[in-house]
Amino acid sequence: MLSRILATLFFLPWFASTSYATEYVIEDQGFGFTREEVKQMIVHWTPQMQAAAADDVGDRLELISMSLAAKKIAAEAEAFTEADDPALYWAQQFRIRNSNRQFMVANYMENLEMPDFTELAEERYLTERDKYAAIPEQRITSHILFKCVPPECIRREYKSKIEPHLEALLSGASFDEMVEKYSEDPGSKKIGGKFDQWMSKGKFSSVAPHYHEATFKIEGIGKYSPVIESTYGFHIIRLDDIKPKSYQNYDEVKDQITTDLTKEYRSLAAKEFDARYRLTENAQLNGPVLDELFEQYKTGADSTDSPK
């Protein structure tokens, strides 16, 4: 019922008897919206608001009422002066300035024309291949795990019992036989101690850091690590294979390079835009007045000479 009453009032030809007939399509208490203003207001509503206002006149009037209230309140804010409340006035002025600055920067960046980065991207690929295209050396290992979980197992005592097994391996004992006899890692034990995961140098992922570091210190395929401690206990690691460091080709990484170049260009453009409005060599500063204004904020730290 309320929606129907409001709709009836809304569509009455009130504008015929007002001075806003050729300007406003909505008016109330001296405030109103022109046709273009309503059009743009609708454009900036969310899709849900647009649909609600299109489908239901009551919702439409509620949204219009909210928008007109915002305009009325904004007008009161614009009429607020320094005499009303200096602190509040200036706080708002600086908010407005910052908002306007953000608007101008955003508009500048939105319309910024981007150059063709093809040649520069190819050059960067050549000069920064390690950053963009490097595939680190990878290694795969097998291990024997001797479980030792405190407090049941005292690690400083248990480690000495493992050293003879390493010495035996270094003397030529069968790794496969020792895995079968001693390893307490049920998953890898079934496949000869194989830790079935390639590790990339410097990328620890789910591998225990000490295990990872020891793997990349082994001096050759088929060689062993010292006895290594981890959360699970102690390991003897054998290096099984190495994939040397390599590089992706340009086509595989050019999108990432171009993305980085675009970000850099936009960042530099934003700084350049801001620099246009900084103090120029023709700026005039009243040093004594500035000294007076800053006096109460001094901390006692050394300062440069005041501007003249």
Side-chain angles (χ1 to χ4, degrees), residues 90-153:
W90 283 110
Q92 178 63 2
Q93 291 304 305
F94 291 124
R95 280 194 289 266
I96 292 170
R97 290 180 192 179
N98 285 333
S99 177
N100 288 339
R101 176 189 176 279
Q102 291 169 9
F103 166 76
M104 291 300 295
V105 171
N107 183 60
Y108 174 76
M109 298 302 291
E110 180 70 24
N111 294 287
L112 184 66
E113 292 187 9
M114 304 303 296
D116 183 353
F117 290 118
T118 301
E119 185 176 341
L120 188 57
E122 292 172 350
E123 179 182 333
R124 181 162 290 189
Y125 172 76
L126 296 176
T127 59
E128 298 187 33
R129 279 207 311 165
D130 278 342
K131 176 180 178 181
Y132 289 103
I135 301 173
E137 177 187 310
Q138 294 178 290
R139 295 187 171 197
I140 195 165
T141 62
S142 296
H143 75 132
I144 304 170
L145 171 63
F146 300 86
K147 281 189 177 180
C148 181
V149 181
E152 292 82 4
C153 176

Side-chain angles (χ1 to χ4, degrees), residues 16 26 35 38 84 99 116 159 163 165 174 199 206-207 210 238 259-260 296 298:
I26 300 168
R35 185 182 190 282
V38 174
D84 294 318
S99 177
D116 183 353
K159 184 176 181 181
E163 297 289 353
H165 299 310
S174 169
M199 289 176 276
S206 60
V207 181
H210 289 171
R238 185 186 68 185
T259 296
D260 286 355
Q296 63 178 308
K298 282 187 175 180

Side-chain angles (χ1 to χ4, degrees), residues 139 141 199 210-218 237 239:
R139 295 187 171 197
T141 62
M199 289 176 276
H210 289 171
Y211 192 109
H212 181 101
E213 291 167 4
T215 294
F216 285 91
K217 289 180 180 178
I218 299 174
I237 305 170
L239 178 60

Side-chain angles (χ1 to χ4, degrees), residues 5-17 25:
I5 294 171
L6 288 171
T8 302
L9 292 173
F10 178 67
F11 289 111
L12 285 175
W14 54 267
F15 50 81
S17 59
V25 295

Side-chain angles (χ1 to χ4, degrees), residues 16 24 55-56 60 79 86 102 126 137 140 160 164 168 174 189 194-196 203 212 223 228 235 289 294 298 300 308:
Y24 287 151
D55 296 338
D56 186 279
R60 181 185 309 174
Q102 291 169 9
L126 296 176
E137 177 187 310
I140 195 165
S160 62
S174 169
K189 185 172 184 175
K194 177 73 71 177
F195 187 78
D196 199 16
K203 297 182 180 180
H212 181 101
K223 303 292 185 180
I228 299 301
H235 306 258
V289 171
F294 282 105
K298 282 187 175 180
K308 305 299 182 186

Side-chain angles (χ1 to χ4, degrees), residues 1-12 14 56-65:
M1 178 63 72
L2 177 60
S3 295
R4 189 176 302 169
I5 294 171
L6 288 171
T8 302
L9 292 173
F10 178 67
F11 289 111
L12 285 175
W14 54 267
D56 186 279
V57 174
D59 288 338
R60 181 185 309 174
L61 292 176
E62 179 62 21
L63 288 167
I64 288 171
S65 179

Side-chain angles (χ1 to χ4, degrees), residues 184-199:
E184 297 176 88
D185 177 8
S188 66
K189 185 172 184 175
K190 296 176 183 177
I191 50 176
K194 177 73 71 177
F195 187 78
D196 199 16
Q197 178 179 331
W198 284 93
M199 289 176 276

